Amino acid sequence: MDTKFIFFSGKGGVGKTSMACTTAVYHASKGKKTLIVTTDPAANLSDVFEQEIGHRVTQIDNVKNLYAMEIDPDKATDEYKERSIAPMRDFFDDEMIQIVDEQLSGPCTVEMASFDKFIDFMEDDSYDIIVFDTAPTGHTIRLLELPADWSKHIESSSQGSGQTCMGPVSLIQDNKKKYDDAVEKLRNKEKTEFIFVMQGEGTSLEETIRSSKELEEIGIKTSKIIVNGLIPKEESSNVFFKERYDMQQKYLKKTMDIFKDIDIQPIQLLNNEVKGLNMLIKLSEQLFNDCIDISVMKNKEAEDSLSEDILKKENIEEKPFEDSLIYPKKGKRKNIFFSGKGGVGKTSMACITAVKTASRGYKTLLMTTDPAAHIGNVLEKPVNDEITKIDEINNLYAVKIDQKKVTEEYKESVLSDAREKFDENTIKIMAEELDSPCTEEMASFQKFIEYASRNDFEVIVFDTAPTGHTLRLLELPMDWSKQLQFKAGESTELSEEDKKQKERFDEVIEMMKDKESTTFAFVMYPEKTPIIEAYRASKELETLDINTQLVIANLIIPENQAQTSFFKNRRNMQLKYIDEIKTIFRDVALVKVPMFDREIKGIDMINDIADCIFK
């Protein structure tokens, strides 16, 4: 079968999953055998289709020809390890198997296994259409760079020591052809469509511009851009929503001007969240037939049922915000982590909080671990990989982790230390190991630890990557340098430098567990998928003894602005979910942040909002 691949990407929260699911439903309804696969570690296909899917190809209920799978990084890792080790069990003793198992237990394996699973689907010709719902842009670009990077790494390792960070090159040599084929398919416009989804906002447009350029650099052309969530003109009847409507239309026009040679498709906001088969079918009429179904907009039945739900809810008392959640105790530093689904407003909330603590007189560092860093856009100030003083706000500094740069610094620091201890051949092997694509992740983590260990700030605010990737960052193993030495055939005894580094790791992990020093906050807008994603992540953090202390419900439609049935319906839906937030995060402080008539940008606006929400 001549399979066609359709990728959906874009900034977090722009509606990638909705568009990917809608596209999959549409093609399946046309008789095409269709598979939708999510490569996002925080998968939510199950939430959209309202059925359990998980890490196996699953037939979607009531849709002939449609199948789905959510790649689970942990299960993919176990499968990858077993697939690599199983053929060796007949030929090698337990000790040798244990050595190989050790080699496959590094941070590379998780990334490699998920990536390998994704590549497997690109070899699958049993479907007419395979739709990929990807993680937010920064991580997707990384995923798409990997086939070429791994192919190069295997090639260079086979000509050198015969070792890769995944073990002997002979174990993965066969994969080179698979990766080369994947690269060829990704670059073939007849085989692969690459669709960006964005919203009519500045940061979303800027990320689309940057990401489409990065794709071009690896030979992949953008096929189409969907500008999603546009307020219908007839719903812009009051000043508040007219402001938002005008802003969205301005960015829609700008998008069309910038991407003149690419198909741009506007998609209107619906009065309810996109969840369940009926909503996907309705949305497909707009996406493929340019037909907006008014019955979706004026769904009185849904409005009534939501109101009943609200009435049935248990009246749970809201835990109020306390100053101790963002301000440090005397003599102690405060660390505040903001996490959550992509696009829920983590960066805005991190900026608002940092501006507030700095304005209160605390020397504050705002830093981002998100590869698609936006704090510079929100502050409207240049932010780079050097700690920079932010003008206009005393005591405020900002920095972003530049993954490419920290990777080079990390490689040099490891090799520099190794040159004093090991011979030339060992250094060569370690250098090859460090050329693997996964070094970037460990290097970013090292930089994060470096910033988190600093004592020259009273408050550090961390704007993190979307949930799945943040958890990966926090769960990374601490013994990377030990593994490098192991693979180079050297003693794995800890050196003095290793001991200091391990102490630093331990201090940071303990700091994150200390409720007085650290506040872990989840940001969400009041809809099902961001709440479920935050809940799952908070439970996973609890396994690391890190408890959630603050939740922020963002983008709540102000009551006095919900004047039409369209926005009344959306607000009713939000109120129902705010009750769910209070139930799920019962002992956690809740801060409610209203929607504003324009995007949050600039120091003046941030200052005003900070004074409003952190009274």
Side-chain angles (χ1 to χ4, degrees):
M1 200 178 287
D2 193 14
T3 307
K4 182 158 190 174
F5 306 99
I6 307 174
F7 285 80
F8 284 86
S9 188
K11 185 175 178 295
V14 293
K16 292 182 296 294
T17 301
S18 300
M19 294 303 145
C21 292
T22 300
T23 301
V25 167
Y26 173 80
H27 285 296
S29 71
K30 296 295 174 191
K32 304 279 187 190
K33 190 180 177 188
T34 303
L35 171 69
I36 178 168
V37 180
T38 181
T39 61
D40 191 338
N44 52 31
L45 294 185
S46 296
D47 303 325
V48 175
F49 284 112
E50 298 183 314
Q51 73 175 79
E52 193 61 37
I53 295 175
H55 187 71
R56 61 189 168 84
V57 174
T58 304
Q59 164 86 57
I60 296 299
D61 296 341
N62 304 316
V63 189
K64 198 177 172 188
N65 302 312
L66 183 55
Y67 303 83
M69 177 172 175
E70 298 169 321
I71 296 177
D72 179 322
D74 293 333
K75 288 182 180 169
T77 303
D78 291 342
E79 289 168 3
Y80 184 88
K81 282 176 72 173
E82 182 53 30
R83 204 162 58 229
S84 302
I85 293 174
M88 304 174 71
R89 290 207 171 91
D90 291 338
F91 303 100
F92 298 104
D93 59 22
D94 290 346
E95 191 179 352
M96 179 59 78
I97 296 296
Q98 194 178 347
I99 291 171
V100 176
D101 186 270
E102 187 79 24
Q103 284 192 304
L104 290 172
S105 298
C108 292
T109 309
V110 177
E111 184 172 49
M112 182 66 176
S114 296
F115 156 72
D116 202 59
K117 196 78 189 169
F118 147 71
I119 293 294
D120 280 347
F121 284 114
M122 292 209 71
E123 285 197 310
D124 192 339
D125 58 2
S126 61
Y127 296 93
D128 295 297
I129 307 275
I130 299 183
V131 177
F132 290 97
D133 168 38
T134 70
T137 330
H139 295 284
T140 297
I141 300 293
R142 176 92 193 98
L143 185 76
L144 296 174
E145 284 173 343
L146 283 172
D149 287 354
W150 271 105
S151 180
K152 278 185 209 162
H153 185 51
I154 293 170
E155 179 76 32
S156 61
S157 298
S158 67
Q159 292 168 6
S161 64
Q163 283 284 332
T164 74
C165 62
M166 296 295 299
V169 73
S170 55
L171 273 181
I172 57 174
Q173 178 75 59
D174 290 345
N175 291 341
K176 185 176 182 307
K177 184 177 181 316
K178 190 163 82 170
Y179 302 156
D180 289 342
D181 288 346
V183 171
E184 191 181 326
K185 285 175 186 168
L186 284 167
R187 289 173 178 164
N188 182 348
K189 285 180 77 174
E190 301 299 317
K191 295 283 296 179
T192 303
E193 277 185 48
F194 201 95
I195 300 174
F196 277 109
V197 184
M198 58 172 278
Q199 300 247 334
E201 292 180 1
T203 50
S204 194
L205 173 59
E206 282 154 16
E207 184 155 330
T208 304
I209 294 169
R210 182 181 59 77
S211 303
S212 65
K213 281 181 183 165
E214 287 184 10
L215 270 189
E216 271 193 52
E217 285 170 11
I218 54 175
I220 301 172
K221 299 275 187 193
T222 304
S223 315
K224 180 176 177 177
I225 296 172
I226 293 172
V227 184
N228 189 28
L230 296 172
I231 293 171
K233 189 173 182 181
E234 59 271 27
E235 300 298 335
S236 61
S237 53
N238 65 11
V239 175
F240 182 89
F241 284 111
K242 179 72 167 54
E243 284 279 345
R244 285 192 74 84
Y245 173 82
D246 289 344
M247 174 194 75
Q248 291 180 337
Q249 293 298 314
K250 180 185 83 176
Y251 284 115
L252 172 62
K253 182 174 183 313
K254 208 168 172 182
T255 306
M256 290 174 166
D257 290 343
I258 291 169
F259 297 99
K260 283 183 179 142
D261 300 326
I262 295 173
D263 180 22
I264 309 290
Q265 184 170 11
I267 293 290
Q268 289 194 5
L269 181 72
L270 302 180
N271 73 342
N272 214 330
E273 63 187 324
V274 179
K275 191 163 69 72
L277 193 54
N278 287 340
M279 286 298 281
L280 293 171
I281 291 170
K282 293 283 185 189
L283 186 57
S284 75
E285 288 166 7
Q286 191 182 164
L287 187 60
F288 290 96
N289 300 324
D290 213 14
C291 170
I292 303 166
D293 188 338
I294 298 301
S295 69
V296 176
M297 303 291 183
K298 310 289 183 190
N299 191 345
K300 184 71 170 59
E301 190 180 333
E303 190 174 323
D304 288 346
S305 69
L306 284 171
S307 301
E308 283 170 18
D309 276 356
I310 293 167
L311 291 174
K312 285 176 190 170
K313 277 285 168 195
E314 184 187 352
N315 186 20
I316 294 169
E317 198 167 327
E318 203 171 296
K319 185 173 180 184
F321 169 79
E322 294 171 4
D323 281 359
S324 60
L325 290 169
I326 63 169
Y327 301 120
K329 276 195 167 182
K330 193 170 183 182
K332 276 200 162 191
R333 198 185 72 205
K334 191 76 184 177
N335 308 285
I336 310 161
F337 290 82
F338 284 95
S339 190
K341 187 178 186 300
V344 292
K346 293 183 295 293
T347 302
S348 300
M349 292 307 127
C351 290
I352 288 166
T353 307
V355 164
K356 186 67 183 175
T357 56
S359 300
R360 184 68 76 94
Y362 297 106
K363 189 179 178 186
T364 300
L365 176 65
L366 170 62
M367 69 161 292
T368 180
T369 61
D370 191 342
H374 294 295
I375 56 177
N377 294 329
V378 176
L379 296 172
E380 293 188 321
K381 303 286 176 192
V383 174
N384 53 42
D385 61 320
E386 299 289 335
I387 293 177
T388 306
K389 170 89 176 67
I390 300 298
D391 296 336
E392 301 176 45
I393 300 286
N394 285 337
N395 306 309
L396 182 60
Y397 299 78
V399 67
K400 70 173 180 181
I401 292 179
D402 180 331
Q403 285 192 326
K404 302 284 180 196
K405 191 170 176 182
V406 297
T407 301
E408 290 309 310
E409 289 173 357
Y410 174 71
K411 284 158 74 172
E412 184 46 40
S413 76
V414 171
L415 291 177
S416 169
D417 182 52
R419 282 187 197 103
E420 294 177 9
K421 296 184 276 187
F422 305 125
D423 62 27
E424 201 172 313
N425 190 46
T426 303
I427 299 300
K428 193 177 167 190
I429 294 170
M430 291 180 77
E432 283 173 12
E433 299 273 358
L434 286 166
D435 280 337
S436 90
C438 356
T439 302
E440 213 172 87
E441 189 171 16
M442 197 59 206
S444 297
F445 181 70
Q446 290 272 33
K447 198 69 181 176
F448 158 77
I449 291 289
E450 183 186 316
Y451 285 124
S453 308
R454 292 181 72 115
N455 290 318
D456 49 345
F457 289 94
E458 294 168 287
V459 178
I460 301 184
V461 180
F462 295 87
D463 168 35
T464 71
T467 328
H469 293 284
T470 299
L471 292 176
R472 276 281 305 128
L473 189 73
L474 298 179
E475 290 170 349
L476 270 177
M478 310 300 178
D479 55 354
W480 178 240
S481 63
K482 189 177 165 188
Q483 286 190 45
L484 286 174
Q485 290 176 40
F486 176 84
K487 286 166 194 163
E490 294 295 337
S491 162
T492 57
E493 265 185 42
L494 289 179
S495 66
E496 284 307 307
E497 183 56 34
D498 288 333
K499 285 178 186 169
K500 282 183 196 166
Q501 185 157 288
K502 187 172 184 317
E503 282 172 15
R504 209 161 53 161
F505 284 171
D506 291 343
E507 280 173 19
V508 170
I509 297 299
E510 285 307 310
M511 170 270 287
M512 291 171 69
K513 293 177 183 175
D514 178 2
K515 288 182 182 177
E516 281 196 359
S517 301
T518 300
T519 295
F520 210 98
F522 278 101
V523 185
M524 61 201 79
Y525 48 78
E527 289 188 23
K528 191 79 177 178
T529 51
I531 296 171
I532 292 292
E533 189 167 319
Y535 173 71
R536 287 174 187 150
S538 71
K539 287 293 166 195
E540 204 165 331
L541 280 178
E542 283 177 14
T543 66
L544 304 172
D545 292 330
I546 298 172
N547 292 306
T548 305
Q549 292 168 270
L550 176 65
V551 292
I552 295 180
N554 193 20
L555 293 169
I556 301 168
I557 297 170
E559 185 175 10
N560 61 348
Q561 303 298 341
Q563 295 169 0
T564 65
S565 62
F566 180 94
F567 282 114
K568 279 179 183 169
N569 203 56
R570 281 198 76 85
R571 182 176 154 79
N572 271 350
M573 174 194 75
Q574 291 187 334
L575 293 178
K576 179 194 113 174
Y577 282 123
I578 287 171
D579 274 352
E580 285 205 4
I581 291 170
K582 285 194 271 185
T583 306
I584 291 172
F585 295 97
R586 187 176 288 255
D587 299 318
V588 179
L590 171 65
V591 169
K592 289 180 273 191
V593 180
M595 176 187 282
F596 293 90
D597 59 359
R598 58 193 189 280
E599 59 189 324
I600 298 174
K601 279 181 104 173
I603 295 291
D604 289 345
M605 186 174 183
I606 291 171
N607 246 328
D608 290 345
I609 297 172
D611 289 341
C612 176
I613 65 174
F614 294 127
K615 290 175 183 170

